Amino acid sequence: MRDAAAGQPETERFDLSRAKPGTPAIMAVINRTTDSFYESAATLDEAITAVAAAAADGAHIVDIGGVRAGRGREISVAEEIDRVCPTIDAVARAHPHVLISVDTWRHEVAEAACRAGAGLLNDTWAGVDPKLAEVAARFDAGIVCSHTGGLSPRTDAHRSRYGLTAGDVVDETLTGVIELAEAARSLGVPESRIVIDPTPDFGKNTYHSLRLLRELDRFAVTGHPVLLAISRKDFVGEAIGDVAPQDRLYGTIAATALAIERGAAMIRTHDVRATADAIAVTLAVTGQAIPKHTVRGLR
């Protein structure tokens, strides 16, 4: 296994404290949906196979989601639980060293997921359900504090309130995630369990998302581990041209390398092997890690 955070024992569940600049963790996307924008693991067997492959390629965390982030048919709480919890239970038993994250904004789903074995709540909708942080505190789980620019769940940012190229997007995003982090801490979530995510593309146009990535170091210096979820996103496609998700890998890897150099502690990705390689090379170039195999010119 290509491990971007070397030294993690295979028999112990990955701890969030290991995710930091210089030793970033890889979060693999596992979508238990049928309508995801890029790829889905629509059945339980497909999801388990995808997790096994991600773990073998170097994923420390698997993020299991049951509802498409964008528009689509209504998914009830019960259906979302039915999609994610059997997968979480199976993964917890088969891969005890992997930290399981659940991608949800609903506290009912979060509680069921924690009971099934999840240890991280990836709230991509910026605390729209304040009870989610209460669940994290009760189960000693981690929580991701994100920023959506005021969007309601499953809505698209066709018209951002920041203006076309407004510079205040970084200030407002940073303030928003810090406020959510403080709220989570006040409810009993330990500091070491709180992650912040500037959330490119959510409530932001491409100019805003690029600006956030350019100034990512402002988030890293807060002391909270920064999660960057940029895999094959629209701003990557628009930076290249009119490019569909299936053709955004190379652009994503370029953005990933920049994010690692600027202090990202966690990278959420559909492409674990490529991301692990990008992390290894970036850290070797910056001097934060040594090359993993050096014989050229030395023998």
Side-chain angles (χ1 to χ4, degrees), residues 13 85 88-89 92 98-101 111-120:
R13 188 167 79 169
C85 286
I88 292 169
D89 178 70
V98 173
L99 175 61
I100 301 172
S101 170
E111 180 163 349
C114 287
R115 293 188 187 281
L120 178 63

Side-chain angles (χ1 to χ4, degrees), residues 83-94:
R83 285 181 173 186
V84 300
C85 286
T87 305
I88 292 169
D89 178 70
V91 171
R93 287 184 281 108

Side-chain angles (χ1 to χ4, degrees), residues 31-296:
N31 286 323
R32 279 300 330 275
T33 57
T34 58
D35 57 353
S36 294
F37 86 101
Y38 174 57
E39 62 182 16
S40 299
T43 69
L44 177 59
D45 286 344
E46 288 173 346
I48 292 171
T49 298
V51 169
D57 283 342
H60 311 92
I61 307 165
V62 293
D63 190 37
I64 299 170
V67 180
R68 185 180 190 272
R71 297 182 186 275
R73 77 170 180 85
E74 176 66 22
I75 305 296
S76 68
V77 168
E79 184 174 359
E80 187 180 355
I81 289 172
D82 189 55
R83 285 181 173 186
V84 300
C85 286
T87 305
I88 292 169
D89 178 70
V91 171
R93 287 184 281 108
H95 303 281
H97 64 288
V98 173
L99 175 61
I100 301 172
S101 170
V102 60
D103 182 354
T104 188
W105 74 92
R106 294 160 159 166
H107 75 274
E108 302 95 335
V109 177
E111 180 163 349
C114 287
R115 293 188 187 281
L120 178 63
L121 307 181
N122 184 15
D123 177 14
T124 56
W125 292 105
V128 69
D129 182 348
K131 292 183 179 179
L132 201 77
E134 296 176 12
V135 173
R138 192 161 67 251
F139 284 90
D140 195 28
I143 190 167
V144 177
C145 299
S146 64
H147 180 271
T148 63
L151 286 184
S152 299
R154 309 197 68 194
T155 53
D156 298 321
H158 292 303
R159 291 290 180 268
S160 168
R161 67 186 180 88
Y162 299 110
L164 186 62
T165 60
D168 61 358
V169 66
V170 178
D171 291 336
E172 292 202 27
T173 301
L174 186 57
T175 297
V177 295
I178 293 301
E179 286 178 351
L180 284 174
E182 291 173 350
R185 187 167 54 247
S186 72
L187 290 170
V189 181
E191 183 86 20
S192 61
R193 297 275 193 270
I194 299 173
V195 178
I196 60 174
D197 176 8
T199 329
D201 276 5
F202 280 60
K204 308 166 187 78
N205 63 31
T206 289
Y207 294 103
H208 301 143
S209 296
L210 292 170
R211 182 72 174 260
L212 286 169
L213 192 58
R214 198 177 305 142
E215 299 188 32
L216 195 68
D217 53 338
R218 291 183 57 189
F219 294 82
V221 298
T222 65
H224 294 291
V226 177
L227 167 64
L228 202 64
I230 57 173
S231 184
R232 299 179 182 263
K233 281 196 168 179
D234 286 350
F235 84 91
V236 173
E238 290 194 349
I240 302 167
D242 186 10
V243 176
Q246 60 266 28
D247 296 319
R248 297 173 184 171
L249 174 60
Y250 302 144
T252 296
I253 292 303
T256 296
L258 178 65
I260 294 302
E261 190 271 336
R262 298 196 176 182
M266 298 167 61
I267 299 292
R268 185 178 184 270
T269 180
H270 298 91
D271 306 283
V272 174
R273 177 66 63 87
T275 300
D277 287 353
I279 290 172
V281 173
T282 303
L283 296 180
V285 170
T286 60
Q288 294 172 283
I290 62 173
K292 295 183 179 181
H293 180 68
T294 51
V295 297
R296 186 179 184 278

